[in-house]
Structure formats: C-alpha cells, structure tokens
Amino acid sequence: MLEQLRVIVQEVNAAKDLQSALDIIVHRVRESLKTQVCSVYLLDSDLNSHVLMASEGLRKESVGHVSLEVGEGLVGLVAKHAEPINLRDASLHPSFHYLQETGEEDFHAFLGVPIIHHRSVLGVLVVQHEEKRRFDEGEEAFLITLSAQLAGVIAHAEATGAIEGMSPSGQKTSDTAFPGVSGSSGVAIGQVVVIFPPADLSQIPNRRARDIDQEIEFFNTCLESVRTDMKDIHDRLAGHVAEEERQLFDVYLHMLDDDALGNEVVARIKLGNWAQGSLAYVANEHVRTFEMMNDAYLSERSVDIKDLCSRVLFYLQQKESVVTEYGENTILVSEELTPSMLVEVPKEKLKGLISVKGSGNSHVAILARTMGIPTVMGALDLPFNKLEGKEVIVDGYKGEVITNPSDQLRIRFQNTIEEQNQLIAGLEGLKDLPCETADKHRVSLWVNTGLMTDVMQSLDQGAEGIGLFRTEVPFLLSERFPSEHEQTEIYREQLQAFAPKIVTMRTLDIGGDKSLSYFPINEENPFLGWRGIRVTLDHPEIFMAQVRAMLRASIGLENLQIMLPMISNIHEVNSANQLIKKAYRELIQEGHNVKFPPVGVMIELPAAVYQTQALAKLVDFISVGSNDLTQYLLAVDRNNPRVANLYTAFHPAVLAALQQVVVLAQAEGKTVSICGEMAGDPGAAVLLVAMGFDVLSMNASSLLKVKSVIRSISLDAAQDLLDQVMQMDDAQMIRSAVDLTLYNAGVDRLLRSSRTN
Ligand code: PEP
Ligand code: MG
C-alpha cells in the first residue's frame, strides 16, 4: 500500500497541469483499489458547484460538463461535512442525486472522501462499484491518506491555473486571493519581479527571452563550456579513480548532446522563455521523472541531472550579469525574501513585498515595516515562479495577495492607497508635537534601527531615542566578523546622529533565524539553541570586541546604553557585566576617556518574566522583546506561516506577562521599555501605555501612527480599557475591545485592525 501511495503521489506531482494530475489520480486509484469507477469532483467557486473534473468508469462525455451544486448529492454531503461517506448502496441514501449523463445507475457501492487543503475542502474523490458492498476499512484508509497527500498538489495546480485567469473547470476567473500573513501593513498594486538565490534550479522563474536567437546562442556557448569542463575532468581523472566512476562523465557528456537535454532546452527557449527558465523547466521535469522510478539506481540518476544542469546554470548566471529591470511599481516576490534582496531594488520603485516562506515576525518583515513597504509573508500556495511580470495586489493589512485583479477590485484598492497617502500626509504635522495622551500623560517613543538609513528616517519622524539598535544587521551584511575598528565606526555614526538622545545597542543577537554566512550555526532547534547571549558568552572574544567598539564609539557623546538579548538566568547577566567592566577597564588603561554606560536586559523568555525582579537588581533598565516573548510563551515559531494564526501578542497570557514585568521592574525602581513589534501596533500601544511602560520602541514608519493614536486617547480611557481586557480570556475578544475603543476615540480606520476594504 505504502509503495502504491508513494508512486501515485510522485506521478501526480510530476504532472504538467491540473487536468493531467486529475487524470493520473483517477486512473491510478481505480487500478490500485480495483474499483469500477474513480472520479474527482472539484469545487468551482465561481459556479458555486462541484464539477466532475476527471473520471474513469463514468461516461467520458460527462467529464467537465456535469456538476452538482454546493450541498447537492452525496458529493455535496461529503464536502459539507468534510468527512468520508461509505455506502453499500448509494441509491438508498436520501441525499443521492442521480446524474443521468454519467451512466452511474449501475454502480451501487459509493465511497467519497473530501480533498482538504488548509482546512478548506477543494473537492471530493469518489470510488464506486456495481456490487452492493461497503468498501472495507483498508480501502477507506487508503483513499483518505491519498487524498490528504494530494490536496497540496491539487491546490498548487489550481493556483497555477488561477493566476492565468482560469478556474478549475476552465472558466475565466479573476481576483484570486492567496492567503498569507501580514508582514507590513498597507496596500500596493504593481508588477511582479521574482527574485531568486543563484544556483538554485527550483527557484528560477519563467521570464520572456528578449531575443530568442541570441538566447539560444548564449545557451549553446554555456553548454559548450560545461562540455569542455566535463572532458577536462574526465581526462584528469584517468588513473586516479575506477573506470566506472570516470564513465559517469561520459554519461554527462552524452546527456549534453544536442539530441538530449540541450535540444529540449532550446525547444523551450524557442517558445519564448529565457535560457535559465528553460533549463530549469527541463531539469525539473527530468529530475521528477527519474525520482519516480522504482529502480533505486535509476531514481538516483536525478542527482546527476541536477548536478549537470546546475553546472550549466552556473555558466548562464556567471556569463550574463542579468540586469533585473525594476518597473515603477515593483512588487518583489521570492520563495524566501532576505534583507539583502530588499536593498537591491531602488527604493522609490519598490512598492510591495511577497515572501512564500516566513511570517509576520521574521526579521525580513521587521525590515519591511521599518521601510514602510506593504508586505505579505507566508503565502504558501502562491505559485511564485509563474508570476513574473504579472499584476498583483499586495494587501498588507489582511495578509493576502490577489492575482488577476478585476477593474472593480483594482479601483477599490487604489482608493485605499489614496486614503493611505492622505493619512500619512496628515500625520506629518505630528512630528514635532510631544507624544502624550489627551490628558497630557507623557510617553517616550523611541525607534528600532539596524542600518544608518533607519537612523535618518527615524530622526525625520521625530524619534526621541533608539530603544533597540540591532547590531547584528551590519554583521549580517558583512562577509566576515567586522573588526573592532570597523564596528567602532558603525556605532559612532548611530551615536553621533542621535546625540544627545539615548542609543540602546543590543549585543550581537545571532542564532535562531539570523545566521552569519561566515559563522554558520546548524541546529535541529535553532530557536531553542545557541542564540543571542549564549553565543557571545561562549565567544568572549566576539563579545569583548563588540563592547570595546561600543564604548570607544561613545567617547565624548555619552549617550550609549548596552542591552543583553536572550537572557534566561542571572549568571548570564553577571558574566556579561563582568566582561563589560573588563572592556571598560582596558579602555581606561589604554588612556581613553570612557564613561561606563547603563546596562539593561531584554525580557524575551518566560523564565525571565518570573525573574524580572532579580534581573532588575543587576542592571539599570529592562526592555521587553515581545517578539520572542510571544513566540516562547505560546510555543509558536515566529517564522512559521502554518501557525501564524496562533501568534498574537493580544493573547491574555502575553498581556499578563507584560503587566507582570512592568510591576516587577517598577518595584526595583528601574525604567521599563518594550522594543518588540507590538509597540508599533497602535492598538497594542494604548494597552502598553496603560500598563505603565516608560518607553515604546518601534520601527520608524509606525512612530507617527502610534503617536496620533496615543494623542487621541486619555490615560483614564486607556486604563479602563486595560482593566476590561485583563478580564478577558480570548485574544480575539481583546482585539475587538481595543478596536472599539479606538473607533470611539475617532481613530482612522486604517490604524485599526478591524478595517474593511
Ligand atoms: C524581540 O524579540 O522582541 C526583539 C525585539 O528582538 P528580535 O526581534 O530582534 O529578536
Ligand atoms: Mg528577540
């Protein structure tokens, strides 16, 4: 059974489009279960029906023409309850709906299982028999397992059709929404540019070849280079390795011959696709075919194809420095966006971002928020490499990508963009006004930075200090550890630009999802592993160089604070304090006139929440990292889009933890701030002010939005709201209560979470 399942799934995976996938399914399932009929019905939302999309056993002419309205017949019942129905004689069931065109009158036994992807029922897989007998348990289990495995493939094939404007049953369709999660709020409409890491065949997008003849010539030159390489290797290996191994290179050479791979690639280029896309297409097809083979030797050959094609790709990418053209309204799409990808696009052209992987609290999303670019993360079902050049809408409020937008929808979203621009223009006037509640309670609004450009933007937005400088950002953009001198320069720039305002520098926080190419950390469970302070205490030389650089950079400015990330116990703080003192003493001995800076800890782990008081005794200030705190309290990976719906800082447990940190820090008379992303959420900010946080530190583009909301509400009203929500036991209810308060305070709809488009 297991083997049969594997083979079917692989074959379906390799299908070129939805129809072929469905045809394979009905053929293979009928064969495996030895039934007389196997059919697939898929939901077509535009028609509000389940359409018979493929069948073996029912009349061929009915396929594609027969459909059942949603809820109609046994198929409708299976879909409605999202549960299998297994009947000895279907005709006796009250929901049975006889479809004359199919010729199903002879088949009595019926087993239908739902095809479910991400909680939604895509359709129903049905097997039927003449004989009056229930399908046995094994058959039912087989069909359920298969359906669960195929749902993703079917969803992907449907999605690919949808972005071409086609519904599953071939009707014209538009406004197909692909859900993801919000990475950065706002709406953008534009043309997609797919960006991909080099040397990865699986991520190359389809792109139009500019000049087909030139493209073929270019491909052939690259192919020739690989051929030469192969011959060289073949010759060099003579006498060094066994003859069979040397023969592998003969096989490669053979595969490169004109009538093999090369020719297929050229044929695809002739259809208009560029050389890289054509090569990737052919390579992926062959890889899939080989992988499907039952023979272990043959299926291993897929590795050879990948290797060979990667070599050709290398030349294609090396020889041609592809100048990616960015249009006026570029929507950058990638399987996994990285911070360095964002900086490649001219800022004025970059209108929106979409990442298939990652979630709202991934670091790239944080960067997008800093830059104020509407972003959707975790759009898992988006066929991203088929989107090049297509128009899409990025709905960063809802966390949704819309392909093939209709005129009507485009106008609606254009209006939202207009409204957005007006809101931003209206907020400009707040820059120089103090951040205080309507009844004059003063709150400090600071910013989070990573790059120098953030600093400039922050100052422009009226930031009163830096609550978190993520020092790992320059480390991430470097190719080796920056030297003490280089770090001093970087830190000095930030300190100088903000002086005399305070700049809080966090010591290097790598690990988790932030790994340095030159210092790789490979772990099973990186978020529970070697992260933040754990790494730097194990490498005092890295820690010392950084702290020395920070202290040197602050000479004469004296606006530095040092902050320690990922603290889980007091020993880490004691050790870090000792190292900071050591660095200070060294610099004094070297004759520098350094001032000892305030030191603080981040509360990011549940353990630290309970130890706030003990930790506060050892330091000068406390700062909550609510991104990680939420992740660890709720046991929800902040990067994983599958569980993104569970990640919310409005969870009562998170709010209770935050309140406790404030109380405990205040009991020690220490300043308490928050520098996680929730501080930049206008609704959350109101609760944080009511809790008693002294400082809210956020990305620069949230600053004026938060200020405008705080200024429109009194501290009394905020505290009443806090009292009310602290009695609630559900995150959604809390969010609604906050929204209602903002609504009553006249806050703009784009600053509330319950906005409707
Ligand atoms: C946090 O965890 O809330 C935080 C500010 O740190 P980072 O997002 O960089 O992990
Ligand atoms: Mg953190």
Side-chain angles (χ1 to χ4, degrees), residues 10 64 70 73 93 133 178 225 238 427 457 521 541 556 683 746:
Q10 271 188 349
V70 166
H93 193 283
R133 71 157 180 96
F178 290 89
S225 305
L427 293 175
Q457 199 193 345
I521 301 172
E541 78 288 10

Side-chain angles (χ1 to χ4, degrees), residues 363 366 468 470 506 514 604 625-628 638 675-676:
H363 285 91
I366 293 176
L468 165 64
R470 289 187 165 93
R506 175 170 74 183
K514 288 177 286 193
E604 302 190 272
S626 55
N627 304 336
D628 278 313
R638 61 193 266 188
C675 59

Side-chain angles (χ1 to χ4, degrees), residues 533-686:
I533 198 77
R534 302 171 182 184
V535 178
T536 47
L537 286 182
D538 286 350
H539 276 278
E541 78 288 10
I542 298 175
F543 190 81
M544 284 292 284
Q546 184 171 41
V547 172
R548 281 176 56 95
M550 288 175 180
L551 294 175
R552 286 176 64 177
S554 72
I555 295 173
L557 297 171
E558 300 180 356
N559 57 340
L560 166 73
Q561 291 195 144
I562 296 182
M563 184 160 81
L564 309 169
M566 273 295 284
I567 294 293
S568 66
N569 59 57
I570 56 157
H571 303 293
E572 288 164 341
V573 182
N574 285 331
S575 306
N577 272 339
Q578 272 171 18
L579 289 173
I580 296 171
K581 281 184 194 139
K582 184 166 171 241
Y584 170 74
R585 277 197 305 270
E586 279 176 11
L587 289 169
I588 294 285
Q589 277 161 14
E590 287 165 27
H592 296 291
N593 186 15
V594 210
K595 179 177 166 257
F596 196 82
V599 176
V601 292
M602 290 187 78
I603 305 291
E604 302 190 272
L605 311 188
V609 171
Y610 293 105
Q611 287 224 288
T612 302
Q613 207 161 348
L615 294 167
K617 285 188 205 299
L618 305 176
V619 291
D620 304 295
F621 67 94
I622 293 288
S623 182
V624 179
S626 55
N627 304 336
D628 278 313
L629 185 58
T630 306
Q631 140 165 287
Y632 292 124
L633 269 174
L634 305 181
V636 176
D637 179 344
R638 61 193 266 188
N639 281 324
N640 186 342
R642 283 213 180 86
V643 288
N645 58 335
L646 298 174
Y647 185 103
T648 167
F650 286 84
H651 191 293
V654 177
L655 297 183
L658 294 172
Q659 181 67 87
Q660 188 166 3
V661 172
V662 175
V663 170
L664 296 175
Q666 282 175 347
E668 285 304 313
K670 300 291 158 71
T671 320
V672 56
S673 64
I674 176 161
C675 59
E677 290 300 299
M678 80 181 285
D681 176 314
V686 171

